[in-house]
Amino acid sequence: MSDASVDPRYAPTAAPKKSVKLSWSDPVFRGLVWQVLIIGSVIGIVWYLASNTSTNLANRHIATGFDFLGRVAGIPIGEHPIAYEPSVNSFGLALWIGVLNTLQVSVIGIILATILGTLIGIARLSRNWLLSKLAMTYVEVIRDIPLLLHLFFWYGIVQTLPVPRAALNPVPGLFLSNRGIRFAELVWEPAHTGTLLAFLVGLVLTAFVSQRATKVQEATGIRPAVWPAALGSLLVLPLAVWAIMGAPFTWEAPTLRGFNFQGGGTLSPEFGALLIGLVIYTAGYIAEIVRSGIQAVPNGQVEAAGALGLRPGLVLRKIVLPQALRVIIPPMTSQFLNLTKNSSLAVAIGFQDFVSIANTTLNQTGQAIEVIALIMLVYLSISLSISLFMNWYNKRIALVER
Amino acid sequence: MQFRFAGALIAGAVLSLSATAAFAQSGSPTIDAIVKRGQLVCGVAGNTAGLSLPDSQGVMRGLDADHCRTVAAAILGDANKVKFAPVTTQARFTALQAGEVDMLYRSTTWTLGREGLLGTEFASITFYDGTGFLVKKAGGVKSAKEMDGATICVQPGSTTELAIADYYRVNNMKFTPILIQDLSELQGAFESGRCDAYSTDASALAGYRFAKGDKANDYVLLPEIISKEPLGGMVRKGDDKFFDIVRWTYFAGLIAEEHGITSKNIDSFTTSTDPEVRRFMGLEGDMGKALGVDNKFAYNIVKQVGNFGEIWDRNITSMGVPRGINNLWNKGGLHYAPPMR
């Protein structure tokens, strides 16, 4: 039995090999030429700028390089989350403190602005006339004022607080003065770390129990009570650990000594004014994004949910918000980026964020190009991180079409 | 803030793009540019009473401003051909490096780093200053030594902030800095009591206190001067001819004061027989020609702006600051000019 020869017409053939013709009429060749030209000129321009800059710098006897990062900084920094001594530590550490300060104000600012903005956005859609008009006024007024004025305004406000000697003392242990907010702080001991750890373990346990409960519910339709386990692991367990480790509990209250309060925790006027300004300003934009997101959900969805007997709160949580988020997240990313970059206005009111410290470094060392490059690098890293996270989140909540 | 940021970026771009200038007339690109422009572009602070601050007519007044005028008088023969460019503490060096200004008389302290690393150099010292502290009288502080734990308002990017850090380290004390870029915001923070002390060059503090008028007595300038802050004219490195002119412009003011030559009586010296005075007046010796400017450059300086002492009295003495070490060498000060010959 001779094998039936395959009909040559059906034989699998490779795609016809396209040879690139050295002719302008060949689109492949044309494309190649353009790409080479464009890439070549980009490389050429970059090379020209780089070599010309270094030649000019050398001609002008300006030192270059990143050696200055290891030099002793000498620049005092008011607020440093990690230990810093100007006469000992380097410019590198000073700049790092700047990065931490920027991150600190940005992260807290983003969280607070999101909460405030969402509340105002929802309030604007409220059926309560006063509430919705108040929210509208907030949005319209706040958005119309430049951020710098916001910062000056809040910085001016906190400066009208009394001097430390006459500090306001609304509750024991809390002092409000033009040097900032001073509050009593818990004297941290190992027992507290243990308690915190126990609480974290409790969180994991509760999550586990809750997951089991969901499984049981899916299988039997009856959800076993979770709260006894939650109570036990979140409250009783940490308290037990705290009690076993000696139950230490002492507050360190700020006391007035010399020029200012000593001891306790501090929230400086500069940080406070910057944070309040950024949050209030950005919340105005976020409110509009949230409102538009909610309004983008067709009314039929709400009516359908109502027809199914869902309570209004549940409708908002289960029907409206998940769909609104898809509209909300992309513009929200821009607002988060804006807030982070706007925090560089801190220099105007004396909070030492990254730009402020980088500028001082620039001035003390004269390394303009290097420092500007560092500023760009830092903001690029922060912004890309925010973008990446938000894109991931956006993908996660994206509508899954079936 | 943004514009300063942009300024630095532009400066970077200028550094990147500016082709090497090919001037040949005087051998000094800076002088050629000034002559071609018909104007000296002089970087000043523009916000400090006594050093450079516009008056009610918008004319820049102050020690730094007048020293800018002397350079214009020397090169262009006209003290009014100055364009004052206010530059911030942080943008000043970039502005000079990138050629946005021809030179700085911007209360800038002469330090090793600024000559060694920035591609700039100091041609003169017009003010032997020092870092001081200004406090409110009501606080009762009498000495900087009592200021352990104090909060101090200071401008970022200045030698002041380094000086304070050093002083507090040496004296084993602690302080909290409040660094605000904008001078009026910074002074506002001091006024409101956010800071216990306002620190910068003692001259600027005196000017600030003086500007308070009737309320000047509510403020106390503490006796400690914690650092040396020689303020002078700064030029780009590599242009020696221009450097020479700026330096000798300053010396000319001193020589005039030594000989008692003032803007009022200078014309009576045209008949002088003193050889140095004759060289000074451009009557003999071709002193100006040696520098590449008009032989009457020193005459122009003194006639149009005044000698060093006149400039000082007009701007600094009027604020109630004693001349002290800023006097001539033969009157107990540090200002000393080499012979003009």
Side-chain angles (χ1 to χ4, degrees):
Chain A
M1 223 210 258
S2 66
D3 56 319
S5 59
V6 181
D7 188 332
R9 283 174 300 176
Y10 300 126
T13 51
K17 226 183 156 189
K18 250 172 127 184
S19 62
V20 179
K21 275 185 287 178
L22 283 178
S23 155
W24 199 244
S25 61
D26 182 1
V28 176
F29 175 73
R30 227 161 43 218
L32 273 177
V33 169
W34 281 122
Q35 283 176 42
V36 167
L37 270 181
I38 289 169
I39 293 172
S41 51
V42 166
I43 292 174
I45 289 170
V46 170
W47 179 82
Y48 170 76
L49 287 177
S51 73
N52 208 12
T53 306
S54 63
T55 321
N56 274 324
L57 286 171
N59 285 347
R60 284 155 205 232
H61 314 282
I62 300 172
T64 51
F66 285 94
D67 296 346
F68 67 93
L69 288 177
R71 242 184 274 153
V72 169
I75 51 175
I77 299 177
E79 288 171 70
H80 39 87
I82 53 176
Y84 171 80
E85 187 61 52
S87 42
V88 180
N89 292 126
S90 65
F91 277 114
L93 188 76
L95 289 169
W96 176 239
I97 288 169
V99 174
L100 293 180
N101 279 349
T102 291
L103 284 178
Q104 193 182 6
V105 79
S106 303
V107 170
I108 300 177
I110 283 175
I111 293 170
L112 293 183
T114 308
I115 296 172
L116 182 64
T118 308
L119 290 179
I120 292 170
I122 293 174
R124 214 183 151 172
L125 293 171
S126 163
R127 267 182 235 127
N128 183 324
W129 183 87
L130 184 65
L131 192 61
S132 79
K133 285 293 173 271
L134 275 179
M136 189 188 86
T137 316
Y138 176 93
V139 169
E140 295 306 334
V141 170
I142 293 299
R143 285 196 308 181
D144 287 349
I145 301 169
L147 177 57
L148 193 57
L149 287 185
H150 277 277
L151 298 185
F152 283 148
F153 175 78
W154 289 109
Y155 195 45
I157 293 278
V158 293
Q159 283 184 2
T160 57
L161 287 168
V163 296
R165 269 173 247 263
L168 302 176
N169 192 356
V171 280
L174 181 75
F175 294 93
L176 292 168
S177 75
N178 62 5
R179 300 297 164 85
I181 300 173
R182 283 271 177 175
F183 46 88
E185 219 175 20
L186 189 64
V187 180
W188 199 259
E189 281 171 54
H192 297 120
T193 315
T195 312
L196 195 68
L197 282 176
F199 181 75
L200 288 178
V201 170
L203 269 184
V204 175
L205 276 177
T206 312
F208 182 70
V209 170
S210 161
Q211 219 168 18
R212 282 288 300 274
T214 310
K215 276 210 183 109
V216 171
Q217 186 182 17
E218 277 166 5
T220 64
I222 302 158
R223 188 175 176 83
V226 177
W227 68 265
L231 188 73
S233 52
L234 290 178
L235 196 68
V236 179
L237 181 68
L239 278 177
V241 169
W242 178 64
I244 288 166
M245 292 181 76
F249 191 77
T250 33
W251 289 95
E252 187 195 35
T255 47
L256 190 62
R257 266 209 310 274
F259 289 99
N260 203 348
F261 288 100
Q262 314 284 332
T266 319
L267 183 68
S268 81
E270 288 76 26
F271 182 81
L274 179 66
L275 188 66
I276 297 172
L278 284 174
V279 166
I280 294 217
Y281 179 76
T282 315
Y285 289 87
I286 291 181
E288 281 298 90
I289 293 172
V290 169
R291 179 179 69 97
S292 68
I294 291 175
Q295 283 183 333
V297 179
N299 208 25
Q301 296 275 333
V302 181
E303 285 166 356
L308 285 175
L310 294 181
R311 278 172 282 119
L314 219 50
V315 173
L316 188 70
R317 234 174 63 218
K318 295 277 185 195
I319 309 290
V320 178
L321 276 185
Q323 297 187 73
L325 271 181
R326 290 173 194 126
V327 182
I328 290 173
I329 293 301
M332 201 76 122
T333 310
S334 309
Q335 289 308 321
F336 291 171
L337 293 175
N338 277 347
L339 187 143
T340 307
K341 288 179 287 181
N342 284 341
S343 71
S344 64
L345 285 172
V347 68
I349 54 167
F351 178 71
Q352 284 174 291
D353 74 325
F354 179 66
V355 171
S356 164
I357 294 179
N359 266 325
T360 308
T361 305
L362 188 160
N363 202 250
Q364 300 294 2
T365 64
Q367 311 286 307
I369 292 174
E370 290 84 349
V371 173
I372 297 283
L374 276 182
I375 295 177
M376 295 201 290
L377 189 72
V378 164
Y379 276 93
L380 192 69
S381 313
I382 297 178
S383 296
L384 282 181
S385 310
I386 294 176
S387 285
L388 279 177
F389 173 77
M390 292 304 282
N391 287 345
W392 166 80
Y393 186 63
N394 193 27
K395 225 171 251 162
R396 218 181 80 101
I397 57 152
L399 193 65
V400 184
E401 299 206 2
R402 282 180 276 245
Chain B
M1 283 171 282
Q2 256 96 0
F3 63 87
R4 188 164 32 69
F5 199 69
L9 278 180
I10 290 167
V14 170
L15 273 177
S16 311
L17 291 171
S18 67
T20 322
F23 286 98
Q25 293 97 320
S26 69
S28 156
T30 314
I31 298 174
D32 287 336
I34 293 167
V35 171
K36 198 172 157 205
R37 207 188 295 129
Q39 222 177 20
L40 170 79
V41 181
C42 195
V44 293
N47 58 9
T48 316
L51 293 175
S52 55
L53 187 72
D55 65 10
S56 54
Q57 265 81 51
V59 182
M60 197 64 83
R61 298 284 176 210
L63 189 83
D64 282 345
D66 278 349
H67 281 294
C68 287
R69 291 195 174 93
T70 61
V71 177
I75 296 174
L76 299 166
D78 185 348
N80 290 320
K81 289 187 175 167
V82 183
K83 185 181 165 202
F84 291 102
V87 284
T88 63
T89 329
Q90 302 198 327
R92 54 187 165 176
F93 303 130
T94 335
L96 179 63
Q97 288 166 341
E100 285 172 47
V101 297
D102 296 316
M103 64 171 303
L104 294 177
Y105 261 121
R106 204 225 162 271
S107 50
T108 304
T109 305
W110 186 343
T111 67
L112 184 146
R114 286 172 179 177
E115 288 206 323
L117 298 169
L118 299 186
T120 51
E121 57 191 335
F122 286 83
S124 61
I125 297 176
T126 48
F127 198 153
Y128 291 94
D129 209 343
T131 299
F133 296 101
L134 191 72
V135 296
K136 286 186 179 159
K137 199 175 208 167
V141 176
K142 298 253 166 16
S143 153
K145 294 262 165 42
E146 298 168 22
M147 296 219 297
D148 192 11
T151 306
I152 300 176
C153 274
V154 55
Q155 254 195 315
S158 57
T159 42
T160 309
E161 58 173 327
L162 306 182
I164 300 174
D166 284 355
Y167 180 78
Y168 270 80
R169 185 191 181 195
V170 168
N171 289 291
N172 222 347
M173 305 194 295
K174 291 246 173 290
F175 78 107
T176 310
I178 298 293
L179 297 134
I180 303 179
Q181 173 63 31
D182 185 64
L183 193 63
S184 53
E185 275 296 312
L186 182 76
Q187 290 167 348
F190 169 61
E191 292 292 327
S192 75
R194 172 69 186 98
C195 309
D196 300 302
Y198 167 32
S199 180
T200 184
D201 295 344
S203 60
L205 292 178
Y208 174 73
R209 184 170 173 267
F210 178 77
K212 292 285 161 203
D214 299 341
K215 296 218 171 92
N217 284 329
D218 294 350
Y219 299 88
V220 181
L221 193 55
L222 297 183
E224 286 89 352
I225 299 294
I226 63 165
S227 71
K228 291 187 287 184
E229 306 284 340
L231 312 179
M234 194 190 212
V235 298
R236 279 184 293 278
K237 249 184 194 164
D239 192 340
D240 295 344
K241 296 221 159 190
F242 183 59
F243 174 89
D244 289 344
I245 290 171
V246 174
R247 185 156 72 175
W248 278 95
T249 301
Y250 153 70
F251 287 151
L254 297 183
I255 293 167
E257 195 186 356
E258 261 188 74
H259 288 280
I261 307 172
T262 68
S263 55
K264 303 218 170 49
N265 67 11
I266 189 163
D267 286 317
S268 67
F269 283 85
T270 43
T271 53
S272 170
T273 52
D274 181 334
E276 188 168 60
V277 172
R278 288 186 66 77
R279 286 194 293 273
F280 181 88
M281 300 290 286
L283 301 172
E284 57 184 61
D286 282 345
M287 291 290 115
K289 210 172 156 194
L291 288 175
V293 291
D294 193 88
N295 273 337
K296 292 183 72 160
F297 82 99
Y299 171 86
N300 288 335
I301 292 168
V302 176
K303 176 78 185 167
Q304 297 180 18
V305 191
N307 68 31
F308 189 84
E310 283 181 279
I311 294 175
W312 182 276
D313 290 341
R314 185 188 305 150
N315 298 302
I316 307 295
T317 309
S318 58
M319 294 194 306
V321 178
R323 190 144 174 206
I325 55 170
N326 283 290
N327 223 318
L328 293 182
W329 62 283
N330 52 9
K331 290 178 187 159
L334 293 172
H335 287 287
Y336 181 101
M340 191 183 267
R341 62 166 67 249

